[in-house]
Short mmCIF file of all heavy atoms in Angstrom, two decimals:
data_model
loop_
_atom_site.label_atom_id
_atom_site.label_comp_id
_atom_site.label_asym_id
_atom_site.label_seq_id
_atom_site.Cartn_x
_atom_site.Cartn_y
_atom_site.Cartn_z
N ASP B 1633 -7.52 -12.91 15.04
CA ASP B 1633 -8.17 -14.21 15.21
C ASP B 1633 -7.15 -15.20 15.77
O ASP B 1633 -6.13 -15.49 15.13
CB ASP B 1633 -8.69 -14.70 13.86
CG ASP B 1633 -9.59 -15.93 13.97
OD1 ASP B 1633 -9.44 -16.69 14.95
OD2 ASP B 1633 -10.42 -16.12 13.08
N THR B 1634 -7.43 -15.73 16.96
CA THR B 1634 -6.47 -16.63 17.62
C THR B 1634 -6.35 -17.98 16.92
O THR B 1634 -5.48 -18.79 17.29
CB THR B 1634 -6.85 -16.85 19.09
OG1 THR B 1634 -8.20 -17.32 19.17
CG2 THR B 1634 -6.72 -15.55 19.88
N ALA B 1635 -7.18 -18.25 15.93
CA ALA B 1635 -6.99 -19.46 15.13
C ALA B 1635 -5.67 -19.38 14.35
O ALA B 1635 -5.11 -20.40 13.97
CB ALA B 1635 -8.15 -19.65 14.16
N PHE B 1636 -5.19 -18.15 14.13
CA PHE B 1636 -3.90 -17.94 13.47
C PHE B 1636 -2.84 -17.76 14.55
O PHE B 1636 -2.51 -16.64 14.94
CB PHE B 1636 -3.96 -16.72 12.56
CG PHE B 1636 -5.00 -16.81 11.47
CD1 PHE B 1636 -6.25 -16.24 11.64
CD2 PHE B 1636 -4.73 -17.49 10.29
CE1 PHE B 1636 -7.21 -16.32 10.65
CE2 PHE B 1636 -5.68 -17.58 9.29
CZ PHE B 1636 -6.94 -17.00 9.46
N ALA B 1637 -2.33 -18.88 15.06
CA ALA B 1637 -1.32 -18.80 16.11
C ALA B 1637 -0.03 -18.18 15.60
O ALA B 1637 0.73 -17.56 16.34
CB ALA B 1637 -1.03 -20.20 16.67
N PHE B 1638 0.21 -18.35 14.33
CA PHE B 1638 1.38 -17.78 13.65
C PHE B 1638 1.13 -17.91 12.16
O PHE B 1638 0.63 -18.93 11.70
CB PHE B 1638 2.65 -18.56 14.03
CG PHE B 1638 3.88 -18.16 13.23
CD1 PHE B 1638 4.60 -17.04 13.56
CD2 PHE B 1638 4.29 -18.93 12.16
CE1 PHE B 1638 5.72 -16.66 12.82
CE2 PHE B 1638 5.41 -18.57 11.41
CZ PHE B 1638 6.13 -17.44 11.75
N TYR B 1639 1.43 -16.84 11.41
CA TYR B 1639 1.29 -16.84 9.95
C TYR B 1639 -0.14 -16.52 9.53
O TYR B 1639 -1.11 -17.09 10.04
CB TYR B 1639 1.72 -18.19 9.35
CG TYR B 1639 1.85 -18.21 7.85
CD1 TYR B 1639 2.80 -17.45 7.19
CD2 TYR B 1639 1.00 -19.00 7.07
CE1 TYR B 1639 2.91 -17.47 5.80
CE2 TYR B 1639 1.10 -19.06 5.69
CZ TYR B 1639 2.05 -18.28 5.05
OH TYR B 1639 2.15 -18.30 3.69
N LEU B 1640 -0.26 -15.57 8.61
CA LEU B 1640 -1.52 -15.11 8.03
C LEU B 1640 -2.40 -14.35 9.02
O LEU B 1640 -3.54 -14.01 8.69
CB LEU B 1640 -2.32 -16.26 7.39
CG LEU B 1640 -1.66 -16.93 6.18
CD1 LEU B 1640 -2.52 -18.09 5.70
CD2 LEU B 1640 -1.46 -15.93 5.04
N ASP B 1641 -1.90 -14.08 10.23
CA ASP B 1641 -2.69 -13.36 11.22
C ASP B 1641 -3.00 -11.94 10.75
O ASP B 1641 -4.15 -11.49 10.84
CB ASP B 1641 -1.95 -13.34 12.57
CG ASP B 1641 -0.46 -13.13 12.41
OD1 ASP B 1641 0.21 -14.02 11.85
OD2 ASP B 1641 0.05 -12.08 12.84
N GLU B 1642 -2.00 -11.21 10.25
CA GLU B 1642 -2.29 -9.85 9.77
C GLU B 1642 -2.95 -9.87 8.40
O GLU B 1642 -3.69 -8.94 8.05
CB GLU B 1642 -1.01 -8.99 9.75
CG GLU B 1642 0.03 -9.39 8.73
CD GLU B 1642 1.05 -10.35 9.29
OE1 GLU B 1642 0.78 -11.00 10.32
OE2 GLU B 1642 2.14 -10.47 8.70
N THR B 1643 -2.71 -10.93 7.61
CA THR B 1643 -3.37 -11.03 6.31
C THR B 1643 -4.87 -11.19 6.49
O THR B 1643 -5.67 -10.58 5.77
CB THR B 1643 -2.80 -12.23 5.52
OG1 THR B 1643 -1.38 -12.11 5.47
CG2 THR B 1643 -3.36 -12.27 4.12
N ASP B 1644 -5.28 -12.00 7.45
CA ASP B 1644 -6.70 -12.12 7.79
C ASP B 1644 -7.26 -10.77 8.21
O ASP B 1644 -8.36 -10.38 7.79
CB ASP B 1644 -6.86 -13.14 8.92
CG ASP B 1644 -8.24 -13.12 9.55
OD1 ASP B 1644 -9.22 -13.46 8.86
OD2 ASP B 1644 -8.34 -12.72 10.73
N LEU B 1645 -6.51 -10.02 9.01
CA LEU B 1645 -6.97 -8.69 9.43
C LEU B 1645 -7.07 -7.75 8.23
O LEU B 1645 -8.02 -6.96 8.14
CB LEU B 1645 -6.01 -8.12 10.48
CG LEU B 1645 -6.36 -6.72 11.00
CD1 LEU B 1645 -7.67 -6.75 11.76
CD2 LEU B 1645 -5.24 -6.18 11.88
N ASN B 1646 -6.13 -7.82 7.29
CA ASN B 1646 -6.19 -6.97 6.10
C ASN B 1646 -7.50 -7.16 5.35
O ASN B 1646 -8.13 -6.18 4.92
CB ASN B 1646 -5.02 -7.27 5.16
CG ASN B 1646 -3.67 -6.89 5.72
OD1 ASN B 1646 -2.66 -7.53 5.43
ND2 ASN B 1646 -3.61 -5.86 6.54
N LEU B 1647 -7.91 -8.41 5.17
CA LEU B 1647 -9.16 -8.68 4.46
C LEU B 1647 -10.36 -8.16 5.24
O LEU B 1647 -11.29 -7.58 4.67
CB LEU B 1647 -9.30 -10.18 4.20
CG LEU B 1647 -8.39 -10.76 3.10
CD1 LEU B 1647 -8.53 -12.26 3.04
CD2 LEU B 1647 -8.74 -10.15 1.75
N ARG B 1648 -10.34 -8.35 6.55
CA ARG B 1648 -11.47 -7.88 7.36
C ARG B 1648 -11.54 -6.35 7.40
O ARG B 1648 -12.63 -5.78 7.42
CB ARG B 1648 -11.38 -8.45 8.78
CG ARG B 1648 -11.65 -9.95 8.82
CD ARG B 1648 -11.76 -10.48 10.24
NE ARG B 1648 -10.48 -10.56 10.91
CZ ARG B 1648 -10.22 -10.08 12.10
NH1 ARG B 1648 -11.16 -9.42 12.77
NH2 ARG B 1648 -9.03 -10.24 12.66
N LEU B 1649 -10.39 -5.69 7.39
CA LEU B 1649 -10.37 -4.23 7.33
C LEU B 1649 -11.02 -3.74 6.04
O LEU B 1649 -11.86 -2.83 6.05
CB LEU B 1649 -8.93 -3.72 7.41
CG LEU B 1649 -8.26 -3.70 8.78
CD1 LEU B 1649 -6.75 -3.54 8.63
CD2 LEU B 1649 -8.83 -2.58 9.64
N ALA B 1650 -10.63 -4.33 4.91
CA ALA B 1650 -11.17 -3.90 3.62
C ALA B 1650 -12.67 -4.17 3.54
O ALA B 1650 -13.44 -3.32 3.07
CB ALA B 1650 -10.43 -4.61 2.49
N ARG B 1651 -13.10 -5.34 4.01
CA ARG B 1651 -14.53 -5.68 3.94
C ARG B 1651 -15.37 -4.80 4.86
O ARG B 1651 -16.58 -4.66 4.65
CB ARG B 1651 -14.72 -7.15 4.28
CG ARG B 1651 -14.18 -8.08 3.20
CD ARG B 1651 -14.13 -9.52 3.65
NE ARG B 1651 -13.52 -10.37 2.62
CZ ARG B 1651 -13.15 -11.62 2.81
NH1 ARG B 1651 -13.32 -12.20 4.01
NH2 ARG B 1651 -12.59 -12.31 1.84
N SER B 1652 -14.74 -4.22 5.88
CA SER B 1652 -15.46 -3.32 6.79
C SER B 1652 -15.43 -1.87 6.31
O SER B 1652 -15.94 -0.98 6.99
CB SER B 1652 -14.85 -3.40 8.20
OG SER B 1652 -14.94 -4.72 8.70
N GLY B 1653 -14.80 -1.64 5.15
CA GLY B 1653 -14.80 -0.29 4.58
C GLY B 1653 -13.67 0.61 5.03
O GLY B 1653 -13.74 1.82 4.82
N HIS B 1654 -12.63 0.05 5.62
CA HIS B 1654 -11.52 0.87 6.11
C HIS B 1654 -10.39 0.90 5.10
O HIS B 1654 -9.94 -0.14 4.62
CB HIS B 1654 -11.00 0.31 7.44
CG HIS B 1654 -12.02 0.32 8.54
ND1 HIS B 1654 -12.47 1.49 9.13
CD2 HIS B 1654 -12.68 -0.69 9.14
CE1 HIS B 1654 -13.35 1.19 10.06
NE2 HIS B 1654 -13.51 -0.12 10.09
N ALA B 1655 -9.91 2.11 4.80
CA ALA B 1655 -8.79 2.27 3.88
C ALA B 1655 -7.47 1.98 4.60
O ALA B 1655 -7.35 2.19 5.81
CB ALA B 1655 -8.78 3.69 3.32
N THR B 1656 -6.50 1.52 3.84
CA THR B 1656 -5.15 1.26 4.36
C THR B 1656 -4.16 2.10 3.56
O THR B 1656 -4.22 2.11 2.33
CB THR B 1656 -4.78 -0.22 4.25
OG1 THR B 1656 -5.64 -0.99 5.11
CG2 THR B 1656 -3.33 -0.46 4.67
N THR B 1657 -3.27 2.78 4.26
CA THR B 1657 -2.24 3.59 3.59
C THR B 1657 -0.89 2.90 3.70
O THR B 1657 -0.46 2.53 4.80
CB THR B 1657 -2.15 4.99 4.22
OG1 THR B 1657 -3.42 5.65 4.10
CG2 THR B 1657 -1.09 5.83 3.52
N LEU B 1658 -0.24 2.71 2.57
CA LEU B 1658 1.11 2.16 2.53
C LEU B 1658 2.11 3.31 2.59
O LEU B 1658 1.98 4.28 1.83
CB LEU B 1658 1.31 1.32 1.28
CG LEU B 1658 0.38 0.10 1.16
CD1 LEU B 1658 0.62 -0.63 -0.16
CD2 LEU B 1658 0.58 -0.85 2.33
N VAL B 1659 3.08 3.21 3.49
CA VAL B 1659 3.99 4.32 3.78
C VAL B 1659 5.43 3.85 3.56
O VAL B 1659 6.06 3.31 4.48
CB VAL B 1659 3.80 4.83 5.23
CG1 VAL B 1659 4.53 6.14 5.43
CG2 VAL B 1659 2.32 4.98 5.57
N PRO B 1660 5.98 4.04 2.36
CA PRO B 1660 7.32 3.52 2.07
C PRO B 1660 8.42 4.04 2.99
O PRO B 1660 9.40 3.33 3.25
CB PRO B 1660 7.56 3.97 0.62
CG PRO B 1660 6.19 4.10 0.03
CD PRO B 1660 5.34 4.61 1.16
N ARG B 1661 8.29 5.24 3.50
CA ARG B 1661 9.36 5.81 4.33
C ARG B 1661 9.29 5.35 5.79
O ARG B 1661 10.23 5.60 6.55
CB ARG B 1661 9.31 7.33 4.28
CG ARG B 1661 9.69 7.91 2.93
CD ARG B 1661 9.62 9.43 2.95
NE ARG B 1661 9.96 9.99 1.65
CZ ARG B 1661 9.86 11.28 1.36
NH1 ARG B 1661 9.43 12.13 2.28
NH2 ARG B 1661 10.17 11.71 0.15
N ALA B 1662 8.22 4.71 6.18
CA ALA B 1662 8.13 4.15 7.54
C ALA B 1662 8.83 2.79 7.51
O ALA B 1662 8.24 1.79 7.12
CB ALA B 1662 6.68 4.01 7.97
N GLN B 1663 10.08 2.76 7.92
CA GLN B 1663 10.88 1.55 7.72
C GLN B 1663 11.45 0.99 9.01
O GLN B 1663 11.77 1.72 9.95
CB GLN B 1663 12.04 1.85 6.75
CG GLN B 1663 11.57 2.18 5.34
CD GLN B 1663 12.70 2.22 4.34
OE1 GLN B 1663 13.82 1.79 4.61
NE2 GLN B 1663 12.39 2.70 3.14
N VAL B 1664 11.55 -0.33 9.02
CA VAL B 1664 12.23 -1.05 10.09
C VAL B 1664 13.17 -2.05 9.45
O VAL B 1664 12.97 -2.47 8.30
CB VAL B 1664 11.24 -1.79 11.04
CG1 VAL B 1664 10.21 -0.83 11.61
CG2 VAL B 1664 10.55 -2.94 10.33
N GLN B 1665 14.20 -2.44 10.20
CA GLN B 1665 15.08 -3.53 9.75
C GLN B 1665 14.69 -4.78 10.52
O GLN B 1665 14.60 -4.78 11.74
CB GLN B 1665 16.55 -3.20 10.01
CG GLN B 1665 17.49 -4.30 9.52
CD GLN B 1665 18.95 -3.96 9.71
OE1 GLN B 1665 19.29 -2.85 10.07
NE2 GLN B 1665 19.83 -4.92 9.46
N HIS B 1666 14.45 -5.85 9.78
CA HIS B 1666 13.95 -7.09 10.36
C HIS B 1666 15.03 -8.16 10.30
O HIS B 1666 15.47 -8.54 9.21
CB HIS B 1666 12.70 -7.54 9.60
CG HIS B 1666 12.01 -8.72 10.19
ND1 HIS B 1666 11.42 -9.70 9.43
CD2 HIS B 1666 11.81 -9.07 11.48
CE1 HIS B 1666 10.88 -10.61 10.23
NE2 HIS B 1666 11.11 -10.25 11.47
N GLY B 1667 15.46 -8.64 11.44
CA GLY B 1667 16.56 -9.59 11.48
C GLY B 1667 16.17 -11.03 11.20
O GLY B 1667 17.03 -11.86 10.92
N MET B 1668 14.86 -11.36 11.30
CA MET B 1668 14.41 -12.75 11.17
C MET B 1668 15.23 -13.66 12.07
O MET B 1668 15.91 -14.60 11.64
CB MET B 1668 14.47 -13.22 9.71
CG MET B 1668 13.50 -12.48 8.80
SD MET B 1668 13.31 -13.21 7.17
CE MET B 1668 12.33 -14.67 7.54
N ALA B 1669 15.17 -13.37 13.36
CA ALA B 1669 15.94 -14.12 14.36
C ALA B 1669 15.45 -15.56 14.43
O ALA B 1669 14.31 -15.87 14.09
CB ALA B 1669 15.80 -13.46 15.72
N PRO B 1670 16.31 -16.48 14.86
CA PRO B 1670 15.91 -17.89 14.97
C PRO B 1670 14.80 -18.08 15.99
O PRO B 1670 14.66 -17.30 16.93
CB PRO B 1670 17.20 -18.59 15.39
CG PRO B 1670 18.05 -17.53 16.00
CD PRO B 1670 17.72 -16.28 15.25
N SER B 1671 14.02 -19.10 15.79
CA SER B 1671 12.92 -19.43 16.70
C SER B 1671 12.69 -20.92 16.64
O SER B 1671 13.45 -21.66 15.99
CB SER B 1671 11.64 -18.67 16.28
OG SER B 1671 11.17 -19.18 15.05
N ALA B 1672 11.62 -21.38 17.28
CA ALA B 1672 11.28 -22.80 17.22
C ALA B 1672 10.89 -23.21 15.81
O ALA B 1672 10.89 -24.40 15.47
CB ALA B 1672 10.13 -23.10 18.19
N ARG B 1673 10.57 -22.22 14.96
CA ARG B 1673 10.11 -22.52 13.60
C ARG B 1673 11.21 -22.44 12.55
O ARG B 1673 11.05 -22.95 11.45
CB ARG B 1673 8.98 -21.56 13.22
CG ARG B 1673 7.77 -21.65 14.13
CD ARG B 1673 6.71 -20.65 13.73
NE ARG B 1673 5.62 -20.65 14.67
CZ ARG B 1673 5.58 -19.90 15.78
NH1 ARG B 1673 6.59 -19.07 16.04
NH2 ARG B 1673 4.56 -19.95 16.59
N ARG B 1674 12.30 -21.73 12.85
CA ARG B 1674 13.38 -21.61 11.87
C ARG B 1674 14.72 -21.42 12.57
O ARG B 1674 14.79 -20.88 13.67
CB ARG B 1674 13.13 -20.45 10.89
CG ARG B 1674 13.14 -19.08 11.54
CD ARG B 1674 13.15 -17.96 10.51
NE ARG B 1674 13.10 -16.67 11.18
CZ ARG B 1674 12.01 -15.91 11.27
NH1 ARG B 1674 10.88 -16.33 10.71
NH2 ARG B 1674 12.04 -14.76 11.91
N ARG B 1675 15.77 -21.87 11.88
CA ARG B 1675 17.12 -21.75 12.42
C ARG B 1675 17.70 -20.37 12.06
O ARG B 1675 17.09 -19.60 11.32
CB ARG B 1675 18.01 -22.86 11.85
CG ARG B 1675 17.50 -24.26 12.16
CD ARG B 1675 18.45 -25.35 11.73
NE ARG B 1675 19.20 -25.09 10.51
CZ ARG B 1675 19.55 -26.03 9.64
NH1 ARG B 1675 19.20 -27.29 9.85
NH2 ARG B 1675 20.26 -25.74 8.56
N ALA B 1676 18.89 -20.10 12.57
CA ALA B 1676 19.54 -18.82 12.31
C ALA B 1676 19.85 -18.62 10.83
O ALA B 1676 19.90 -17.49 10.34
CB ALA B 1676 20.81 -18.70 13.13
N ASP B 1677 20.07 -19.74 10.09
CA ASP B 1677 20.34 -19.64 8.66
C ASP B 1677 19.06 -19.63 7.83
O ASP B 1677 19.10 -19.79 6.61
CB ASP B 1677 21.25 -20.78 8.20
CG ASP B 1677 20.64 -22.16 8.46
OD1 ASP B 1677 19.49 -22.24 8.93
OD2 ASP B 1677 21.34 -23.17 8.20
N ARG B 1678 17.90 -19.47 8.50
CA ARG B 1678 16.58 -19.37 7.89
C ARG B 1678 16.04 -20.70 7.36
O ARG B 1678 15.01 -20.75 6.70
CB ARG B 1678 16.54 -18.29 6.80
CG ARG B 1678 16.61 -16.90 7.35
CD ARG B 1678 16.53 -15.85 6.29
NE ARG B 1678 17.81 -15.65 5.63
CZ ARG B 1678 18.07 -14.70 4.75
NH1 ARG B 1678 17.12 -13.86 4.41
NH2 ARG B 1678 19.26 -14.58 4.20
N MET B 1679 16.74 -21.79 7.65
CA MET B 1679 16.23 -23.11 7.31
C MET B 1679 15.04 -23.42 8.21
O MET B 1679 15.13 -23.35 9.44
CB MET B 1679 17.34 -24.16 7.54
CG MET B 1679 16.86 -25.60 7.55
SD MET B 1679 16.25 -26.16 5.95
CE MET B 1679 15.48 -27.73 6.42
N PRO B 1680 13.85 -23.73 7.63
CA PRO B 1680 12.68 -24.04 8.45
C PRO B 1680 12.92 -25.27 9.31
O PRO B 1680 13.49 -26.27 8.87
CB PRO B 1680 11.58 -24.30 7.41
CG PRO B 1680 12.05 -23.60 6.18
CD PRO B 1680 13.54 -23.71 6.19
N ALA B 1681 12.47 -25.19 10.55
CA ALA B 1681 12.56 -26.32 11.46
C ALA B 1681 11.20 -26.98 11.64
O ALA B 1681 11.12 -28.17 11.95
CB ALA B 1681 13.10 -25.88 12.82
N ASP B 1682 10.13 -26.22 11.45
CA ASP B 1682 8.77 -26.73 11.67
C ASP B 1682 7.80 -25.87 10.87
O ASP B 1682 7.77 -24.64 11.04
CB ASP B 1682 8.43 -26.69 13.16
CG ASP B 1682 7.15 -27.46 13.48
OD1 ASP B 1682 6.20 -27.36 12.70
OD2 ASP B 1682 7.12 -28.15 14.52
#
Side-chain angles (χ1 to χ4, degrees):
D1633 190 334
T1634 55
F1636 300 97
F1638 172 80
Y1639 190 65
L1640 295 177
D1641 40 294
E1642 68 267 20
T1643 307
D1644 168 65
L1645 179 65
N1646 293 148
L1647 286 174
R1648 290 189 286 130
L1649 282 165
R1651 290 169 184 169
S1652 300
H1654 298 290
T1656 295
T1657 300
L1658 299 177
V1659 191
R1661 292 180 181 173
Q1663 294 191 12
V1664 305
Q1665 181 178 352
H1666 186 216
M1668 295 191 73
S1671 68
R1673 300 178 185 88
R1674 65 169 177 257
R1675 301 186 326 213
D1677 60 3
R1678 289 182 280 187
M1679 166 67 191
D1682 191 319

